[in-house]
C-alpha cells in the first residue's frame, strides 16, 4: 500500500541486496522510520520486540532471518540454530513455524554453498505469495461487503468494526481483515471502520488508524469496550478480524479482546468474519482454547503508555500505581461457534472442519 503516496511493503530486500528492510512499527504513528536488518540476531530481535508484528509479517521476516543467518554460516549446525532462534521469538502466530518449516524443507537437502542464494530466493517468494494470497482473500471478502451493503439498502455508510491491526502492516502487503476493506473503499463503497484501540499495545489506535488514514479510508478510533454498545444500537453492520492461528476445526486465536467482540456480535446478530491466509491454519490442532499457546508479555506494556507530548516529543509515562502487578495476556481464542465464516484465499467457508476441508481438500486427512 502507499505511504505518503509511495508504494511500500512491510518487509523488503534492500536495493543493495545486503540487508532486509522493515518499517519500525514501534515508532508508528508518530514517526515513519525504516530499519535495516543484517544479522540473525537483528531479525530475531525485531520480531521479539514487535518492530515487526502480525502473523504473516512475522513469518516473512523470519524467512529472511534464515537468509541473514546463512550468510554468516551456511552449515547444517547454523541452519538448525537459526531455525531454533527464530522459532522461539513469539509463540502464538503459527505462520512463524510454517515459514521456518518451509525454509527447512527447501534448504536442508542443499549443499551449504547453495543455501544462501536459495534462502534469499525462497524468502522473497514467500513474500510475493503472501501478497497474492491477501489480495485474493480481499476479493472474496469484498463480495461479503457488497452483499452487506445491498442488504442495508445502500443507505448511509457500511459500518465495519475491526480489532487489533490485521492490515498491510501485519502482512507483507494488503493485510487480511483490512484487505476487503481497502478493495471496497477503492470500489466506491462508503465503508467506515470502527477501530478498537486494542490495549495494551494499541495496534488499533496506532497502526490500523494510521494505515487507514494513509489510504484515505474513513475510520473512528474507539476504546476497546465500546463495540458492544455500538452493536446494541445498530451501528455495526459486520465485524472482520484477523487471526494468528486457526485450528482445523475453525477456532481462532487473535489479539486479546477478540473473543469479547465475537460474544457481543453473537448477542446482537452482527456477522463476525475472520480473514486468514492458509498458512495461518494449524492443521494439527482441534481445540483452540486448550491447545493454542497464548503469549504473555511483559507487564510494562500495561503499566506504561507511550505517546506524543504537546511539545512534539514522544515520551513514555506510567499509568498504574507503583507496586501494582499487571498480567499481560496477548491473545485469546474465539471458538468456531461464534464465527460467522472464515475468509480465505480460496473463498469463504463455515468455521468448521467440514468448511475448511471443502476449501482445502488436500488436507482431507486432518491432523497431518
Ligand atoms: C494479519 S494479522 C492477524 C493477527 O496477526 C493480528 O490481528 C494480531 O493479533 C497481531 O498481533 P501482534 O501481537 O501485533 O503481532
Amino acid at each position: 500500500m502507499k505511504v505518503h503516496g509511495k508504494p511500500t511493503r512491510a518487509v523488503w530486500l534492500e536495493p543493495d541486496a545486503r540487508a532486509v528492510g522493515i518499517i519500525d512499527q514501534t515508532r508508528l504513528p508518530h514517526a515513519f522510520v525504516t530499519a535495516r536488518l543484517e544479522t540473525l540476531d537483528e531479525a530475531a530481535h525485531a520480531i521479539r520486540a514487535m518492530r515487526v508484528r502480525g502473523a504473516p509479517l512475522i513469518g516473512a521476516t523470519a524467512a529472511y532471518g534464515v537468509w541473514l543467518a546463512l550468510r554468516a554460516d551456511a552449515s547444517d549446525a547454523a541452519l538448525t540454530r537459526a531455525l531454533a532462534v527464530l522459532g522461539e521469538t513469539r509463540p502464538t502466530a503459527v505462520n512463524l513455524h510454517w515459514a521456518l518449516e518451509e525454509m527447512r524443507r527447501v534448504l536442508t537437502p542443499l549443499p551449504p554453498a547453495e543455501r544462501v542464494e536459495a534462502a534469499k530466493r525462497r524468502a522473497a517468494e514467500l513474500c510475493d505469495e503472501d501478497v497474492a494470497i491477501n489480495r485474493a482473500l480481499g476479493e472474496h471478502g469484498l463480495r461479503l461487503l457488497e452483499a452487506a451493503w445491498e442488504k442495508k439498502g445502500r443507505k448511509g455508510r457500511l459500518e465495519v468494526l475491526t480489532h487489533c491491526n490485521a492490515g498491510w502492516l501485519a502482512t507483507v502487503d494488503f493485510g487480511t481483515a483490512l484487505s476487503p476493506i481497502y478493495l471496497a473503499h477503492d470500489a466506491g463503497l462508503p465503508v467506515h471502520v470502527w477501530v478498537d484501540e486494542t490495549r495494551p499495545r494499541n495496534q488499533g489506535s496506532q497502526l490500523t488508524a494510521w494505515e487507514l488514514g494513509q489510504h484515505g479510508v474513513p475510520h473512528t478510533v474507539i476504546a476497546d469496550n465500546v463495540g458492544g454498545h455500538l452493536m446494541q444500537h445498530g451501528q455495526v453492520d459486520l465485524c472482520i478480524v484477523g487471526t494468528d492461528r486457526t485450528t482445523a476445526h475453525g477456532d481462532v486465536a487473535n489479539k486479546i479482546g477478540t473473543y469479547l467482540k465475537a460474544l457481543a456480535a453473537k448477542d446482537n446478530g452482527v456477522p463476525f468474519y475472520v480473514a486468514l491466509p492458509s498458512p495461518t491454519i494449524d492443521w494439527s490442532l482441534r481445540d483452540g482454547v486448550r491447545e493454542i499457546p497464548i503469549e504473555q508479555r511483559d507487564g510494562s506494556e500495561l503499566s506504561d503508555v507511550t505517546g506524543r507530548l504537546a511539545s512534539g516529543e514522544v515520551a513514555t509515562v506510567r499509568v498504574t500505581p507503583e507496586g501494582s502487578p499487571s498480567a499481560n495476556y496477548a491473545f485469546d481464542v474465539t471458538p468456531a461457534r461464534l464465527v460467522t465464516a472464515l475468509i480465505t484465499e480460496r473463498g469463504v467457508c463455515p468455521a468448521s472442519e467440514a468448511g475448511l476441508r471443502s476449501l482445502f481438500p488436500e488436507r482431507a486427512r486432518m491432523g497431518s
Side-chain angles (χ1 to χ4, degrees):
M1 307 298 283
K2 289 184 180 159
V3 179
H4 308 312
K6 184 176 163 223
T8 309
R9 285 186 172 188
V11 65
W12 59 90
L13 183 63
E14 289 284 17
D16 63 9
R18 298 181 60 77
V20 178
I22 60 163
I23 299 166
D24 184 348
Q25 300 192 21
T26 63
R27 304 289 304 277
L28 287 171
H30 308 298
F32 179 77
V33 176
T34 62
R36 283 170 70 91
L37 308 177
E38 300 192 353
T39 64
L40 166 65
D41 286 348
E42 286 176 0
H45 177 263
I47 297 171
R48 215 178 292 116
M50 294 176 68
R51 298 178 89 197
V52 290
R53 27 67 52 203
L57 183 59
I58 291 170
T61 308
Y64 268 127
V66 174
W67 167 59
L68 295 174
L70 296 184
R71 269 193 337 183
D73 180 352
S75 66
D76 284 357
L79 175 59
T80 301
R81 178 172 176 271
L83 295 169
V85 167
L86 291 161
E88 282 175 7
T89 48
R90 294 195 67 191
T92 302
V94 78
N95 306 58
L96 172 67
H97 306 289
W98 175 86
L100 292 175
E101 190 46 45
E102 180 59 14
M103 297 302 277
R104 183 202 307 273
R105 185 188 69 77
V106 168
L107 300 171
T108 303
L110 298 179
E114 291 176 23
R115 283 182 181 159
V116 179
E117 207 44 42
K120 184 170 72 171
R121 193 168 51 242
R122 189 65 190 121
E125 286 168 0
L126 290 184
C127 289
D128 289 344
E129 287 165 20
D130 182 65
V131 178
I133 284 174
N134 298 333
R135 168 92 207 189
L137 73 81
E139 296 284 354
H140 294 298
L142 173 60
R143 302 284 98 78
L144 295 175
L145 296 189
E146 287 171 338
W149 178 232
E150 290 300 326
K151 188 171 166 215
K152 200 176 181 179
R154 300 169 149 267
K155 290 203 183 72
R157 310 186 293 195
L158 183 64
E159 302 285 359
V160 181
L161 183 142
T162 193
H163 191 71
C164 193
N165 173 261
W168 70 267
L169 286 170
T171 64
V172 179
D173 205 353
F174 278 106
T176 57
L178 297 194
S179 181
I181 291 171
Y182 286 126
L183 295 181
H185 173 79
D186 291 352
L189 257 68
V191 62
H192 167 263
V193 186
W194 296 110
V195 178
D196 285 351
E197 66 175 338
T198 319
R199 283 280 289 145
R201 288 201 55 119
N202 295 324
Q203 288 95 330
S205 59
Q206 300 195 328
L207 304 178
T208 300
W210 181 81
E211 61 161 273
L212 289 175
Q214 286 289 321
H215 198 76
V217 180
H219 63 279
T220 305
V221 178
I222 51 176
D224 283 329
N225 294 328
V226 174
H229 167 78
L230 291 177
M231 291 185 217
Q232 285 176 325
H233 290 270
Q235 293 187 67
V236 180
D237 295 312
L238 55 103
C239 304
I240 310 184
V241 299
T243 166
D244 290 78
R245 193 183 294 228
T246 297
T247 69
H249 287 201
D251 295 342
V252 295
N254 193 48
K255 185 52 55 189
I256 193 77
T258 302
Y259 171 50
L260 292 180
K261 293 298 167 288
L263 283 173
K266 186 78 167 181
D267 193 44
N268 291 282
V270 173
F272 190 90
Y273 296 110
V274 179
L276 62 143
S278 54
T280 303
I281 305 168
D282 186 338
W283 298 99
S284 72
L285 301 188
R286 285 163 173 71
D287 182 336
V289 174
R290 286 173 187 274
E291 296 177 292
I292 296 177
I294 299 297
E295 179 177 20
Q296 289 188 54
R297 296 185 60 87
D298 197 278
S300 63
E301 292 182 352
L302 267 167
S303 59
D304 299 355
V305 172
T306 299
R308 194 170 61 199
L309 303 176
S311 65
E313 186 192 341
V314 173
T316 300
V317 296
R318 186 174 176 106
V319 292
T320 59
E322 292 294 338
S324 286
S326 33
N328 187 4
Y329 295 88
F331 297 92
D332 61 23
V333 173
T334 299
R337 65 177 182 277
L338 298 178
V339 177
T340 306
L342 301 173
I343 306 169
T344 79
E345 72 270 24
R346 291 200 189 168
V348 177
C349 71
S352 64
E353 181 181 5
L356 283 168
R357 271 191 205 216
S358 71
L359 294 183
F360 299 92
E362 71 274 24
R363 290 286 182 164
R365 202 171 67 79
M366 290 295 178
S368 62

